[in-house]
Every structure is written in structure tokens, then in C-alpha cells.
Amino acid sequence: MGGRVAQAEFSIIDSLEDVDPAQWQALAGDNPTLSYTFLHALHATQCASSRTGWTPRYLVLHRNGVLQAAMPLYLKEHSRGEYVFDHAWADAFHRNGIPYYPKLLSAVPFTPVTGSRLLAHTAEDRQLLARAALQVAQQLETSSLHILFPDEQDKQALADAGYMLREGVQFHWENQDYADFDAFLASMKMEKRKKIRQDRRRVQEAGISFEHLAGKAITDEVLRFFYQCYVSTYQAHFSKPYLSLAFFQRLLADTPDSLMIVLARRGEQPVAVALNLVGGNIMYGRYWGTQEFVSGLHFETCYVQSLEYCIQHGIARFEGGAQGVHKMSRGLVPTPTWSAHWVADPRFADAIADFLAQETAAMNDYIDELSEHAPFKT
């Protein structure tokens, strides 16, 4: 795609090697999942590539040779690794003899983290990207265009450009400037506070202790143990992992400060592990795995230890990842997330719009109901 709109030159690239890393980073800000290193590592290690059904078609906007705006776009041959589920839509297309794939997708592969998808310095350029992406979808003759987990600024720009919005929910924790972990527990209802303490006691009685390893304190040996647990977690659910050891090793080598690992040990023997991403004063819970079952170990490793780390280091928010109403008992509360959608066929677009109107009303009711059961004192 080439053209000039308000002296802006658009193009489509299939590799981040075609843009200046510093200029990309100026747009991406401090969200670690949008960094040049993170996205380029996904492509360079072939985790997100044409081979895996993620063909990069990044939309970029330059003025006078300087990158002014960008949008991570992928041609998708399936809907795996997205965490916003459109399988029913794909099935409806198939039952009517109309291909749903390839579709066009704006997302960070395998990463249900809210952030900018219209990376731009100005609101005007966000609008230009939102509208130019529609032209790309039409020129590539895709069935649809989907933007997953956009932030509030993007959400508004996408709505203004005519995209249909879809609401979801995740569970996030906000640091209320707690002096220490006991102060956090004191803010919770008695039964929730008691449950956390019981789980911690069971883990301790099993002989488990914890280390918080950040940045260069993470050794290759620890990372390999993490990956072994990560793979076994997928295998336990009869699935294959999306990411390779080479991807995580590349992150550790190039952006070590974006990684934080909770390592559970019994003596010198590692037992379980959780990997978090850190950036912009936010911690993102991503992956976990264990070598054995210990009652309470999952919640302690994935959530409670991470919250304690956030309190100790003044991190403002912990995002617990996709799904999981069970996270509420550990202090995470329901938080709306969004996606935006455009469908080429007006018949399906109308049907999906009707569905989304009903789904949004139901989702709002669900979030309201969950909020009534918040784990904190009134």
C-alpha cells in the first residue's frame, strides 16, 4: 500500500528490520509487549511467522523519512493465540460457504495485554491509522479486521472510524500504596485474608520457599527450568506451547529488565516458577508451571508472591492475564477489556453487531455482579 494523506506516506512491511528501532520505541513507550525487542524476537525466532499462521503485515506511516505511526498487523490463517474468541463467527462463515480466513488482525501475538495498537504521537495519526487499516483489509481481500486489547485512546479512535466494539473482562490488582503485604491483607475481608494465610501456611509446611529474580539475576539455568515447566503445563492440557526457549533467551539477553521470575524451591531443588513481564510501572502475569502438586502453590507462585513484589517495589498495578474469576480471592478485581472489529460482508456485519449489543449488555451485568463480591472491605 502506498499513498499520501496529509503529507503522510503509508506502507506495509513484513519485518521490523525495515524500521529504525529507536523510532519504533519512541512510539511503543514503556509497554514491554510493544517494544521493538519483544515483537522482533517473536518474528526472529519464528514463533509468530507465516509458518505458524502469523504473517506480519505491519502498517507504518512516515513523514520525511521519520516513523510517525505504526500498527502491528498480521494475516491470520486461524484464531489461535488471540484470547478473544471468534470461533462462532468463523463457523457461521463456514456453514454459509464463505471463507473466514485469512483475516487481518492487530494484536501482540499470544499476549492478552491491553496497550496501544494505533502507535502514534497524535490523535490525528491514530485516526489515520484506523482508517488506513480498513483500506489494507479491503485491498488484501480479507473477510474481516480485528484489533485486540486496544487502550482507551485507541478504543475511541476505532469507534470513531466505524469499528464495532466488543467488551471482555480480565482481573487486575491496584496498589493502594500499601506499606507492606500485611497492610494489603488488612484491607481484605476476613474470609479472604484467612484463605490467603492458610494457603501460605500449607506451602511453607511443604518446605517451599521463594526467590524473586529480576533482570540479570535470572540465569540461563533458571530460564531453562522455567521453560521446562512452561512446556509441561501445555502438555498437561494436551496442547503445544506457542513460544520457544530461544524467544525467552532472546528477551533475557536483550531486555533483561523486562523480566521478573518467582522461583519456588524446596531446599536447593526448584519446584515451581512463574514468569512476569514488567514495564511502565505495571507487572503482567504471563506463565507458570510446576513439577509437583502442592496445595496453594499455584496461587502463591502466580499471584500472591507477585503482589508482594509489587508492594515491595512500588509497582502500581498487576494484571493477571486472561480469564480466571478465581483470581478475585487473591485481591484482583474485574476490569473491562476491549476489542474492535470490522467485517466486510454487510450481512455478517449486521448479525455480529446485533450479537455484540446483546453480549455487551450481558458482560456489563456480569462485571457488576462480580464487583458485588469484591474481596475488599466496604
Side-chain angles (χ1 to χ4, degrees):
M1 175 184 176
R4 292 186 178 275
V5 179
Q7 300 180 338
E9 186 168 340
F10 289 92
S11 58
I12 292 177
I13 60 174
D14 58 12
S15 171
L16 281 180
E17 293 178 350
D18 296 331
V19 300
D20 180 87
Q23 293 180 15
W24 179 276
Q25 205 56 43
L27 295 173
D30 49 18
N31 185 320
T33 69
L34 291 168
S35 71
Y36 182 95
T37 301
F38 189 92
L39 292 169
H40 188 47
L42 285 171
H43 305 151
T45 59
Q46 295 293 298
C47 294
S49 65
S50 297
R51 179 178 63 84
T52 60
W54 293 78
T55 302
R57 288 290 183 268
Y58 281 32
L59 177 62
V60 294
L61 183 159
H62 287 83
R63 290 190 183 90
N64 300 320
V66 178
L67 184 67
Q68 296 292 329
M71 189 175 184
L73 281 173
Y74 297 88
L75 270 178
K76 287 294 303 295
E77 301 293 339
H78 53 71
S79 292
R80 296 189 294 274
E82 298 178 12
Y83 302 94
V84 174
F85 302 108
D86 61 352
H87 303 295
W89 303 358
D91 182 62
F93 271 69
H94 177 73
R95 284 188 283 106
N96 284 275
I98 301 173
Y100 189 68
Y101 304 107
K103 65 179 184 179
L104 196 60
L105 181 82
S106 179
V108 177
F110 323 118
T111 309
V113 168
T114 293
S116 179
R117 302 294 177 257
L118 307 173
L119 280 68
H121 295 300
T122 67
E124 291 77 12
D125 282 347
R126 277 192 292 275
Q127 286 284 350
L128 286 177
L129 279 176
R131 290 179 166 83
L134 293 174
Q135 296 180 35
V136 173
Q138 292 167 341
Q139 290 177 4
L140 294 177
E141 298 183 344
T142 58
S143 70
S144 50
L145 168 59
H146 311 265
I147 294 87
L148 309 186
F149 302 103
D151 62 16
E152 282 296 321
Q153 287 183 320
D154 287 0
K155 174 190 163 189
Q156 186 60 55
L158 293 163
D160 291 344
Y163 291 75
M164 298 178 286
L165 297 180
R166 186 179 191 184
E167 187 175 6
V169 64
Q170 289 184 354
F171 296 87
H172 300 169
W173 173 86
E174 299 288 339
N175 190 345
Q176 304 297 329
D177 295 324
Y178 298 112
D180 52 31
F181 192 76
D182 284 339
F184 161 62
L185 287 180
S187 71
M188 303 187 76
K189 295 175 180 176
M190 183 181 67
E191 66 271 19
K192 305 300 183 186
R193 182 168 65 246
K194 182 179 179 181
K195 176 62 175 171
I196 290 175
R197 285 174 171 159
Q198 285 177 340
D199 285 347
R200 304 198 92 180
R201 186 167 60 250
R202 289 194 189 99
V203 171
Q204 186 178 15
E205 290 171 350
I208 306 293
S209 61
F210 292 89
E211 286 184 82
H212 299 161
L213 303 173
K216 294 181 179 178
I218 302 171
T219 65
D220 187 66
E221 179 184 9
V222 168
L223 194 66
R224 287 178 179 273
F225 174 73
F226 154 74
Y227 193 73
Q228 178 185 351
C229 291
Y230 166 73
V231 171
S232 66
T233 299
Y234 274 84
Q235 290 175 339
H237 293 86
F238 306 100
S239 183
K240 293 182 179 180
Y242 293 122
L243 302 172
S244 65
L245 176 61
F247 167 75
F248 291 107
Q249 289 175 324
R250 191 167 184 135
L251 285 188
L252 181 60
D254 295 344
T255 57
D257 291 341
S258 69
L259 299 179
M260 181 270 179
I261 280 180
V262 176
L263 183 64
R265 294 183 184 270
R266 182 182 287 112
E268 295 299 316
Q269 184 67 30
V271 174
V273 64
L275 182 141
N276 300 307
L277 295 172
V278 182
N281 208 25
I282 303 172
M283 178 179 286
Y284 305 92
R286 295 304 304 122
Y287 307 105
W288 111 287
T290 184
Q291 298 295 294
E292 64 176 275
F293 173 79
V294 175
S295 179
L297 182 59
H298 171 230
F299 291 112
E300 181 70 23
T301 307
C302 285
Y303 307 116
V304 178
Q305 286 291 322
S306 294
L307 299 188
E308 191 164 25
Y309 182 89
C310 288
I311 292 169
Q312 291 170 352
H313 293 81
I315 295 174
R317 186 161 81 246
F318 176 78
E319 298 190 6
Q323 305 172 333
V325 68
H326 57 273
K327 299 169 187 175
M328 289 185 65
S329 63
R330 272 70 187 178
L332 285 73
V333 297
T335 305
T337 60
W338 297 92
S339 57
H341 307 269
W342 171 85
V343 177
D345 190 312
R347 299 167 299 174
F348 285 96
D350 290 343
I352 289 173
D354 290 341
F355 165 77
L356 291 179
Q358 297 176 50
E359 185 188 51
T360 298
M363 182 61 67
N364 286 331
D365 290 342
Y366 176 61
I367 292 174
D368 288 343
E369 182 181 354
L370 288 176
S371 298
E372 293 176 2
H373 300 280
F376 298 102
K377 297 174 182 177
T378 303

